[in-house]
Amino acid sequence: MTFDVASAARKSMSALHRASEPDVLKSLLDRAALTPESRERVMGHALGLLADLRAAQGKGWVNQFLQEYRLNSSEGVALLSLAEAFLRVPDPETADLLIADKLGDADWRAHTGKSNSMLVNSATWGLVVGRALVGEGQAQSALRRLIARAGEPFVRQAVGAAMRMMGEIFVMGRTIDEAMKRMKKPEHKGFTASFDMLGEAARTHDDAQRYFRAYTDAVDAVGRDPAAGHSVSVKLSALHPRYEVARWDECVPALTEMLEALAVQAADKGIALTVDAEESERLEMSLDIIGTVAALPSLKGWDGFGMAVQAYGKRARPVVAWAGALDRIMNVRLVKGAYWDSEIKRAQVEGLSDYPLFTRKAATDVSYLAVARDMLDALNIRPAFASHNALTVATIMEWAGNARDFEFQRLHGMGDGLYERLVREQGYHCRVYAPVGGHRDLLAYLVRRLLENGANSSFVHQLADERLTEAEILADPVAKIAAVGGARHPSIPLPVDLFGAGRRNSAGLDLADRAVLRETVKSVSFSGEGRSPGSQAVSSVTLDPGLRRGTEEAIGRAMAAFPAWSATPVAERAACLDRLADLLEIHRDELMAICVQEAFKTIPDALGEVREAVDFCRYYARAARDGLQPVELPGPTGERNVLRYAGRGVWATIAPWNFPLAIFLGQTVAALVTGNTVVAKPAPQTPRIAARAVELAHEAGVPKDALILLPGGPEVGAALTADPRIAGVAFTGSTATARKIARSLLEDDTRPIVPLIAETGGINAMIVDSTALPEQVVADVVTSAFRSAGQRCSALRLLLLQEEIAETTITMLKGAMDTLRLGDPGDPATDVGPVIDQAAYDKLMAYRAGANVLKTLDAPAEGLFVPPTLIRLSRIEDLNAEWFGPILHVVTWPSGKLAETIRAVNAKGYGLTMGLHSRIARAAEETEALSQVGNLYVNRSMIGAVVGSQPFGGEGLSGTGPKAGGPNYLHRFVVERAVSVDTTSAGGNATLLSLDEGGI
């Protein structure tokens, strides 16, 4: 490796990763630009290629599909949704529900016989028959009777045939031998293939071993005929279930070993091996793995090793420079990129400073051209350009001149007509990226590729749009980007601006950046006053001496401070919250450290805790400014009606230990900004984080007597809520404690009736039907049940699996549990830390001892570690209590009984969170209509509610409402006072005097 070049390239990657889009594009525009003379020649070539593409559209099934079923049509969306799920559904009843859901509202008959493709027309007829069978009316009834007499499940056969037909178009073969045989057909004459043994990323070690065997078998098969020139592509995420930065020390050596074995095998067989590109957070890991394998002496002289680079990433150019600095020939495949939407969402959700990729399609095209030019000029790179874009191909041909020492690439099933003449008449080489595997596993991949290449801005979609002119299709991306100054897409704000001008998103840390993660680990690992993971002792808190005089004096001070604080304008109170939010971010590392040491939070959870507290402050500040102003109400002329809001008095806020900063501050700042004073009692296990939060609130401008910290145990809380001077209570904790508080507020007959805002626990269930994607289900179950050691109010307690998929899902879930690591919460590799105290530990361990345990893990010998545990129950009714820890119960339910299953969950009386995994939209609608929960999550995890986006709180035994972080929360903290003034007594309505409509 040329060390200086490689080192400079890695430094450049770090600088570009979160650089602003205009700054990154400045250096790319000149590199990607064409001279006027070159532009004229490129347009000539591109027009010719465009003509070839249009001529081939009758042969290209995918082009025909995009023309017939546009992705912005109900039929297109329905067909993709059906294709994604249908073949994995094992039971006829759910398959029928899926068909009815996807086909019932679309007009398939309008598409019959319209396409030039026999395959499209055949598939359409299958869908027409399916629609007839799930629709209503006399004709449909007659057809149903006919099918019933025939004794065949005709609808499922027809739709299944259509789905398999779609799979056959995109999948080169179900096995590697079948795929290699298909490559010998006349339509592939002159082309080679890169076979990819596709599937979802590994969720278990067994998955990884199965994929590894598939890759070794593929290398063996392709190696039997090296002269054919075929190669194999490898996806590293398929070879390790924890391919993530937090597990760098585990996964990078393991993946390096496996990749080395595959590379040595490929070198011995005389074939090429390419490592696919994946999400940007995995780039640095992949370079370490690839660089180590590339430097192996055993691979000296083998020129078949390669890697893919994604042009939509801001780091694409230095990645290519790094590859060129390796002391060997490297095959580099340049692609546009396959994870754009998920990358954008991740940056927004995690509050990152900027995006790792470009937000405009034209910017990606500019990057692609600039990087392509670098590759053509590099000495140690053998370029491969993957594109279906005629303009891109023509530009590369222009820059390459007479050279043919590179190749083009295209996806199997796409780009038909683009390369045939170039390969067979002009001596260019083209390789087909060819998926291999069973249709059931690969149709999810098919859908992703159709969506990616069928987006409105993509070349494939534009080609299928007859309304676009050739000039529009072949518009110069350099000119497009130059015209907007390289600016981001206007519809994609920076993550900090996600919630608009009124509220800044909380700033996050990119824990997928190894350098950032290392610095974070240092910052949370200092030796403070926290307790070790095995300790029971509660840390001490240094308090103002005045606070030690007891509850009564604290309430008295808060009462005395109430008039002045209540009279403070809303804008000033809101400004205090905004300043507090800023201080929380300034002191983020310190606060995270206390959360790790005192509450045993893992590093990601500690970061999330601080960010949620920041979001609460900014959200309630904005809500107060907008929602607590006087409201003019309508009435008759000569009368003025105004509604005003005012604080109630002194509020008691009682916070839990599981969110000792976010919930503690969320409740408290809501009471403060509405004009109340607050006596805030933290959980006895976590007083230090509360004390630091109160210090920062005072620094932000909240008067010391307007917010008073009152640490202590249950006896302090009981004394606080029993005091008749308390005007309201906001509590988060157990249902039993909430009941005690409610009773104490009513015991004194002379006491005013005061509001209680209670957020309590739940027996939270996730329902999974047979249309769900198992890999997604398992990932979301592990996150929902075991993250934070299961110590979240929203955590998954009860997994309800449809009978037909229960055992396979449980098997995968067990394997995913095996990848979890228990240990020090300050270690980034830790997934599950200790539970909060000895009492919680003893209770949970005693329960596990008597349960029907399907799966558990080994736990560290020292410390309060409750191992993640999966328990089998016979019925939903068997679970009658919330077990607040990493314990998950599983029950099965029969197909067709979704409504009954939901009602059984409702009957438990809790109503906090519920999850549903299903590809049937009507199942989601039915669940939404029947479930009695505060928060319903569909096809995602059940934890991590975002302030302002997913207001959180339950009903029934799970809380009183209103929901925290929602639009109605603040109004529970105020009294409403209406004033009505008869203005006629002071001369009437003066505005009427200006109206020339009668009078004396």
Side-chain angles (χ1 to χ4, degrees):
M1 177 182 289
T2 308
F3 179 79
D4 289 343
V5 176
S7 178
R10 294 294 283 261
K11 288 181 180 178
S12 180
M13 289 179 215
S14 297
L16 290 174
H17 189 37
R18 300 290 174 197
S20 73
E21 199 159 330
D23 289 344
V24 179
L25 285 167
K26 283 178 185 176
S27 63
L28 300 177
L29 287 169
D30 288 342
R31 188 64 171 156
L34 292 162
T35 65
E37 297 79 9
S38 294
R39 172 71 181 167
E40 187 175 347
R41 289 192 296 271
V42 165
M43 283 298 292
H45 286 305
L47 287 169
L49 294 172
L50 198 61
D52 291 344
L53 278 165
R54 292 197 187 282
Q57 281 196 350
K59 302 176 184 177
W61 186 90
V62 175
N63 290 331
Q64 288 293 311
F65 171 83
L66 287 174
Q67 281 192 319
E68 193 61 40
Y69 298 110
R70 297 187 183 279
L71 300 187
N72 57 1
S73 70
S74 59
E75 291 82 10
V77 172
L79 188 52
L80 287 177
S81 301
L82 189 59
E84 195 274 336
F86 182 78
L87 293 182
R88 68 170 172 263
V89 178
D91 58 298
E93 187 162 8
T94 306
D96 290 345
L97 291 172
L98 181 67
I99 293 168
D101 185 70
K102 303 306 177 190
L103 303 190
D105 296 328
D107 185 10
W108 302 101
R109 189 174 297 276
H111 296 270
T112 56
K114 296 291 185 65
S115 175
N116 294 327
S117 167
M118 183 178 297
L119 286 172
V120 172
N121 288 332
S122 298
T124 298
W125 272 112
L127 301 172
V128 168
V129 172
R131 171 66 178 87
L133 290 172
V134 300
E136 299 297 333
Q138 185 175 356
Q140 285 81 0
S141 298
L143 185 54
R144 285 198 197 92
R145 289 194 298 272
L146 174 63
I147 300 306
R149 286 198 298 272
E152 297 237 338
F154 190 76
V155 61
R156 291 189 296 277
Q157 289 186 357
V159 174
M163 296 301 100
R164 282 187 290 273
M165 200 171 293
M166 291 178 68
E168 287 171 6
I169 298 304
F170 242 89
V171 179
M172 182 63 78
R174 285 162 292 186
T175 65
I176 186 65
D177 291 329
E178 183 180 313
M180 291 179 65
K181 182 178 180 181
R182 190 170 177 183
M183 276 302 297
K184 295 179 180 179
K185 290 189 175 183
E187 63 263 28
H188 295 125
K189 181 181 178 182
F191 290 78
T192 54
S194 180
F195 297 111
D196 183 16
M197 313 305 293
L198 277 169
E200 301 297 326
R203 297 295 180 196
T204 70
H205 289 293
D206 287 344
D207 288 342
Q209 287 302 313
R210 186 172 69 254
Y211 284 127
F212 181 71
R213 288 192 297 271
Y215 284 133
T216 58
D217 291 346
V219 172
D220 273 339
V222 175
R224 289 196 291 268
D225 185 14
H230 301 317
S231 63
V232 174
S233 292
V234 176
K235 184 168 67 173
L236 293 177
S237 62
L239 298 177
H240 199 284
R242 300 302 300 271
Y243 180 35
E244 55 200 62
V245 172
R247 293 289 190 91
W248 188 300
D249 294 337
E250 171 191 344
C251 70
V252 168
L255 286 167
T256 301
E257 183 179 341
M258 285 189 280
L259 184 61
E260 176 185 348
L262 291 171
V264 169
Q265 181 189 9
D268 289 343
K269 299 288 185 180
I271 67 169
L273 183 77
T274 299
V275 180
D276 278 335
E278 299 187 68
E279 295 89 344
S280 64
E281 62 200 74
R282 291 170 164 161
L283 176 61
E284 293 283 346
M285 285 189 295
S286 73
L287 296 186
D288 272 17
I289 295 164
I290 292 166
T292 301
V293 173
L296 291 171
S298 59
L299 298 178
K300 207 78 171 173
W302 174 56
D303 292 343
F305 193 43
M307 60 183 288
V309 177
Q310 298 185 114
Y312 69 12
K314 293 174 178 176
R315 297 176 288 181
R317 283 192 82 187
V319 171
V320 167
W322 176 87
L326 299 175
D327 190 20
R328 62 174 300 119
I329 295 293
M330 282 293 289
N331 302 317
V332 177
R333 173 197 296 151
L334 183 62
V335 300
K336 296 290 174 74
Y339 303 92
W340 185 86
D341 52 349
S342 60
E343 297 268 21
I344 292 289
K345 181 177 180 179
R346 175 180 172 265
Q348 292 177 342
V349 168
E350 298 188 8
L352 304 183
S353 59
D354 209 320
Y355 299 104
L357 39 74
F358 301 108
T359 59
R360 293 180 187 264
K361 177 66 168 61
T364 293
D365 291 339
V366 167
S367 173
Y368 190 99
L369 293 174
V371 175
R373 201 165 192 174
D374 290 350
M375 290 167 60
L376 288 169
D377 290 346
L379 296 177
N380 290 338
I381 285 179
R382 186 177 293 155
F385 303 110
S387 179
H388 305 130
N389 188 314
L391 182 65
T392 300
V393 172
T395 302
I396 291 170
M397 291 167 58
E398 168 71 15
W399 286 337
N402 295 324
R404 298 292 187 272
D405 56 348
F406 65 93
E407 67 182 32
F408 290 111
Q409 294 191 0
R410 68 173 179 85
L411 286 171
H412 171 60
M414 287 192 176
D416 292 329
L418 179 59
Y419 292 112
E420 279 75 3
R421 188 162 55 87
L422 299 183
V423 168
R424 293 165 188 165
E425 299 178 15
Q426 299 183 31
Y428 290 96
H429 183 62
C430 183
R431 188 177 301 273
V432 178
Y433 187 85
V436 179
H439 297 154
R440 176 187 177 277
D441 299 320
L442 293 187
L443 278 178
Y445 164 83
L446 158 67
V447 170
R448 285 197 299 272
R449 286 299 178 263
L450 279 177
L451 289 170
E452 172 195 340
N453 291 279
N456 289 337
S457 58
S458 77
F459 186 86
V460 172
H461 184 95
Q462 290 179 342
L463 185 68
D465 191 341
E466 296 175 352
R467 297 168 297 178
L468 295 177
T469 66
E470 291 176 342
E472 290 172 316
I473 294 174
L474 300 176
D476 182 8
V478 174
K480 286 183 179 179
I481 294 303
V484 297
R488 277 179 297 101
H489 196 289
S491 298
I492 304 176
L494 284 175
V496 70
D497 299 322
L498 180 62
F499 300 111
R503 173 167 71 100
R504 278 189 293 139
N505 189 12
S506 55
L509 288 169
D510 189 0
L511 297 180
D513 184 316
R514 196 183 193 194
V516 173
L517 183 59
R518 282 173 166 169
E519 288 303 311
T520 304
V521 171
K522 291 179 186 176
S523 69
V524 303
S525 299
F526 69 82
S527 179
E529 298 180 22
R531 52 204 178 109
S532 70
S535 74
Q536 167 66 7
V538 175
S539 58
S540 62
V541 178
T542 301
L543 300 174
D544 184 286
L547 298 181
R548 296 186 181 276
R549 297 171 187 166
T551 304
E552 290 187 4
E553 184 172 340
I555 297 172
R557 289 171 53 200
M559 281 194 69
F562 172 69
W565 179 247
S566 180
T568 301
V570 172
E572 291 185 27
R573 299 196 301 257
C576 289
L577 268 60
D578 283 333
R579 288 193 293 269
L580 175 56
D582 294 343
L583 287 170
L584 293 170
E585 291 190 328
I586 290 170
H587 295 275
R588 176 179 56 200
D589 291 355
E590 174 196 354
L591 295 169
M592 287 176 61
I594 302 174
C595 285
V596 170
Q597 296 165 18
E598 185 179 54
F600 307 150
K601 285 187 171 284
T602 61
I603 291 173
D605 284 349
L607 174 60
E609 178 92 7
V610 178
R611 291 192 64 212
E612 186 173 7
V614 171
D615 285 334
F616 272 131
C617 290
R618 290 181 180 149
Y619 180 81
Y620 291 144
R622 175 63 188 270
R625 290 188 185 99
D626 293 346
L628 297 183
Q629 302 300 326
V631 179
E632 294 276 353
L633 301 175
T637 184
E639 184 175 285
R640 181 169 176 263
N641 299 290
V642 179
L643 180 69
R644 289 186 172 85
Y645 304 101
R648 289 178 173 271
V650 181
W651 274 71
T653 61
I654 302 174
W657 48 259
N658 63 333
F659 284 92
L661 178 65
I663 292 180
F664 175 81
L665 272 183
Q667 297 175 156
T668 298
V669 299
L672 286 169
V673 80
T674 47
N676 303 282
T677 53
V678 177
V679 178
K681 194 198 90 63
Q685 297 89 338
T686 54
R688 276 186 63 225
I689 189 66
R692 190 68 181 107
V694 169
E695 288 175 358
L696 293 175
H698 293 157
E699 185 179 338
V702 177
K704 287 194 174 182
D705 284 355
L707 171 57
I708 299 172
L709 182 69
L710 191 68
E715 68 287 348
V716 174
L720 184 61
T721 58
D723 194 300
R725 294 171 295 176
I726 291 295
V729 177
F731 166 79
T732 300
S734 71
T735 304
T737 302
R739 281 199 174 106
K740 290 179 182 178
I741 294 172
R743 285 195 293 268
S744 74
L745 296 178
L746 297 173
E747 284 176 352
D748 186 347
D749 291 340
T750 65
R751 184 179 188 176
I753 298 173
V754 300
L756 167 64
I757 302 172
E759 193 264 279
T760 56
I763 298 180
N764 309 312
M766 178 187 289
I767 302 171
V768 182
D769 74 16
S770 62
T771 68
L773 183 66
E775 291 81 1
Q776 182 185 6
V777 169
V778 167
D780 288 342
V781 167
V782 169
T783 296
S784 302
F786 304 128
R787 184 169 173 178
S788 310
Q791 298 173 121
R792 291 180 181 235
C793 302
S794 57
L796 172 62
R797 311 293 180 198
L798 179 61
L799 177 61
L800 302 172
L801 298 173
Q802 189 179 318
E803 290 172 351
E804 287 79 2
I805 59 158
E807 294 312 312
T808 55
T809 305
I810 289 171
T811 298
M812 185 181 291
L813 176 57
K814 289 178 180 178
M817 290 173 66
D818 281 331
T819 72
L820 296 173
R821 184 178 296 183
L822 285 73
D824 179 0
D827 181 346
T830 294
D831 300 299
V832 181
V835 296
I836 191 64
D837 58 23
Q838 190 70 47
Y841 175 85
D842 292 343
K843 181 179 180 180
L844 292 167
M845 294 300 284
Y847 173 68
R848 289 174 68 256
N852 179 17
V853 175
L854 293 181
K855 176 71 179 179
T856 190
L857 303 177
D858 294 331
E862 295 184 5
L864 304 174
F865 293 96
V866 175
T869 304
L870 182 65
I871 294 173
R872 189 73 173 255
L873 299 178
S874 299
R875 307 174 306 152
I876 293 173
E877 291 75 16
D878 293 340
L879 183 63
N880 294 305
E882 178 190 32
W883 294 97
F884 208 73
I887 295 177
L888 175 64
H889 307 82
V890 61
V891 175
T892 62
W893 60 280
S895 62
K897 299 295 183 180
L898 176 62
E900 291 86 343
T901 301
I902 295 170
R903 292 189 182 102
V905 174
N906 289 342
K908 310 304 293 181
Y910 291 89
L912 191 55
T913 67
M914 182 182 288
L916 172 72
H917 267 272
S918 175
R919 292 299 191 262
I920 301 175
R922 294 176 190 179
E925 293 168 1
E926 185 174 17
T927 305
E928 182 178 356
L930 294 178
S931 62
Q932 297 168 6
V933 294
N935 292 73
L936 174 64
Y937 298 100
V938 179
N939 293 329
R940 52 151 290 174
S941 74
M942 292 168 53
I943 63 173
V946 177
V947 174
S949 295
Q950 295 130 19
F952 188 76
E955 58 192 69
L957 296 176
S958 295
T960 62
K963 295 167 79 65
N968 303 313
Y969 192 65
L970 292 187
H971 289 100
R972 186 65 170 147
F973 289 85
V974 298
V975 292
E976 300 179 49
R977 294 168 178 163
V979 178
S980 183
V981 178
D982 181 1
T983 60
T984 60
S985 62
N989 187 348
T991 60
L992 294 181
L993 301 179
S994 63
L995 301 178
D996 188 16
E997 294 294 339
I1000 298 175

